[in-house]
Amino acid sequence: MILRFLAVGLFAVTTVSSQTPPSLPSSFQQRTIHSPEGADIFVRWGGSGPVVLLIHGYAETSDSWAPLAADLMKDHTVVVPDLRGIGRSSKPADGYEKKTQAKDMRAVVTSLGYDKTFVVAHDIGNMVAYAYAAMYPDKVERLVVMDAPIPGIDPWNQILLNPGVWHFNFHGADAERLVAGRERIYFDRIWNDFTGDPGKPDEATRNFFAATYAQPGGMRAGFAQFAAFAEDAQDNKVFEQTKLTMPVMAVGGEKSFGPMQAVIMRHVATNVQEEVVAGSGHWLMEERPAYTVALIRKFLDGPLVAHPVASSADGGANEERLTPTEYKFPQVGNPGTGSSGVGGIQTVVLKGNPDQAGVYTIMLRVPAHTRIAAHSHRDDRVATVISGTWHIGYGDKFDEAKLKALPPGSFYTEPPSRNHFAETGDEPVVVQITGFGPSSTEYVDATQDPRKSQPIAGAKPDSFR
């Protein structure tokens, strides 16, 4: 259950002279809006069309949204504020609870003359965005949250136990004194620990953000975002009692939160779409900007699709008796969580949810003449071959000499993080797999990961995940 990104330790690399810091489009208007909650919020906005509110995270400012803002402004009105205490917003002594900052965001939206908006958020921005959506549910058309936990929402307590989130508890006067004049060293530790690419954020971006937080009061205000987590957790436990009903897209970097972002949001929302950005760590706008922008645009502009949370009710909802002819495979491939991600694989979830904690069972139909490269899953799994002959082997690369032919009725195991590979022959194969979620898939050779070659426009359906 401990997120893999919490243990990653990467280091910054050489400076590139051609780098420039992020910047929102020069055509954007700017204004400072007074929030009734006691802060002056700096905001920039531009474009025309449906309104999108972008809420940035920690170790960044609103400028981090530069790639997305430049794209969305073509046919959307883009509103990009700095959170209180960050960037060019004021740095009051208090008010860093996320429900208070949600009120700041509401003051920004209404002061500019808008009402309902789409909301897109990252990192600590997720926490503000969740409070905003919970407090003003009829004002949020669709919600995108990217790569961060929500205080008080499972698995929050497990995350807090990991030393990788040391910075959650690093605040106060002594912390301010330690970091004064060394802001870049402090932020490098955070950027490096949570990136999937040691060159991102780049040198110019790091210098820009570090200098911004080094302004008088900047680190005190930044630390205050974390000091408020205990109160945020209490507030969110209340918010959680009423589930969000607007469409939610939960995005995780493959080398960071991954599918866990959707697991978190399914605790608080009824219509959650899961997306994982292959190859990326936490800093999605810096590491995979083009892919992430296309992903967000598709969600904001696309048709409404229901992604209901699996029922956990007792009684008839959990009583299932199926014969082989009753398995309802989709008409097209939908390789969901727990599969190898190969496009032609058809997946049915028979019990539980492989994205969430707990036991799940999935059924996979693998097309004939399919070869699956070496990969592993984070959870402990057992499997039975239902039909066809399944060829499977263990090892760090595909090796036909290590394959064993398993006819119908055969049993095999997929131990946690144990690399394995497989292929089918002249007939499709149906395999039933049981594990303890949340599950995942990681390829030994990232270039062989079929999910990375799937374009956004042809993204796989989520209805059977």
Side-chain angles (χ1 to χ4, degrees), residues 3 5-6 57-58 60 65 121-127 144-150 159 168 193-196 249-262 264-265 275-277 280-285 287 292:
L3 303 180
F5 87 95
L6 298 178
Y58 186 69
E60 299 180 308
W65 291 118
H122 175 243
D123 190 76
I124 278 179
N126 284 7
M127 306 173 190
V144 178
V145 292
M146 301 197 297
D147 215 82
I150 305 293
I159 293 172
F168 284 11
D193 279 357
F194 303 136
T195 188
M249 183 169 73
V251 183
E254 180 194 19
K255 299 181 180 181
S256 184
F257 267 73
M260 182 61 71
Q261 190 67 59
I264 293 167
M265 294 310 296
E275 295 293 346
V276 175
V277 179
S280 183
H282 176 67
W283 313 104
L284 297 163
M285 280 292 114
E287 296 182 59
T292 306

Side-chain angles (χ1 to χ4, degrees), residues 153-234:
I153 305 303
D154 286 342
W156 175 250
N157 290 335
Q158 291 170 281
I159 293 172
L160 291 181
L161 294 174
N162 194 282
V165 294
W166 60 272
H167 58 294
F168 284 11
N169 293 306
F170 185 77
H171 47 74
D174 289 338
E176 293 173 39
R177 291 170 57 206
L178 285 168
V179 173
R182 307 177 184 89
E183 293 84 3
R184 173 62 194 270
I185 297 172
Y186 163 81
F187 282 115
D188 272 341
R189 172 68 182 271
I190 295 173
W191 288 321
N192 293 340
D193 279 357
F194 303 136
T195 188
D197 178 348
K200 301 294 178 61
D202 63 30
E203 192 74 7
T205 299
R206 291 173 185 236
N207 285 334
F208 175 72
F209 287 141
T212 300
Y213 281 80
Q215 295 173 359
M219 292 308 304
R220 172 191 56 78
F223 291 153
Q225 299 283 353
F226 300 106
F229 278 1
E231 185 168 342
D232 295 335
Q234 295 178 5

Side-chain angles (χ1 to χ4, degrees), residues 421-441:
F421 46 88
E423 71 175 4
T424 58
D426 294 332
E427 59 183 344
V429 173
V430 175
V431 179
Q432 179 177 298
I433 301 173
T434 295
F436 192 91
S439 189
S440 67
T441 300

Side-chain angles (χ1 to χ4, degrees), residues 52 111 113 165 256 273 312 379 391 455 461:
V52 185
S111 295
V165 294
S256 184
Q273 173 181 330
S312 60
D379 55 320
H391 302 263

Side-chain angles (χ1 to χ4, degrees), residues 10-51:
L10 301 175
F11 298 91
V13 293
T14 56
T15 302
V16 178
S17 61
S18 62
Q19 294 169 353
T20 58
S23 178
L24 295 180
S26 59
S27 61
F28 274 26
Q29 302 178 69
Q30 63 183 52
R31 178 179 166 188
T32 298
I33 292 172
H34 181 71
S35 167
E37 299 301 315
D40 295 319
I41 305 299
F42 178 75
V43 60
R44 286 168 286 180
W45 74 100
S48 61
V51 182

Side-chain angles (χ1 to χ4, degrees), residues 347-401:
T347 306
V348 175
V349 177
L350 299 179
K351 179 178 177 60
N353 187 332
D355 290 316
Q356 299 184 11
V359 175
Y360 68 88
T361 300
I362 57 177
M363 188 78 74
L364 307 180
R365 177 185 284 164
V366 185
H369 306 295
T370 297
R371 174 171 290 188
I372 302 172
H375 64 284
S376 64
H377 310 281
R378 74 172 76 174
D379 55 320
D380 197 2
R381 293 149 52 108
V382 296
T384 301
V385 180
I386 304 300
S387 65
T389 299
W390 186 230
H391 302 263
I392 185 167
Y394 301 101
D396 296 338
K397 63 179 180 179
F398 190 95
D399 184 348
E400 289 189 359

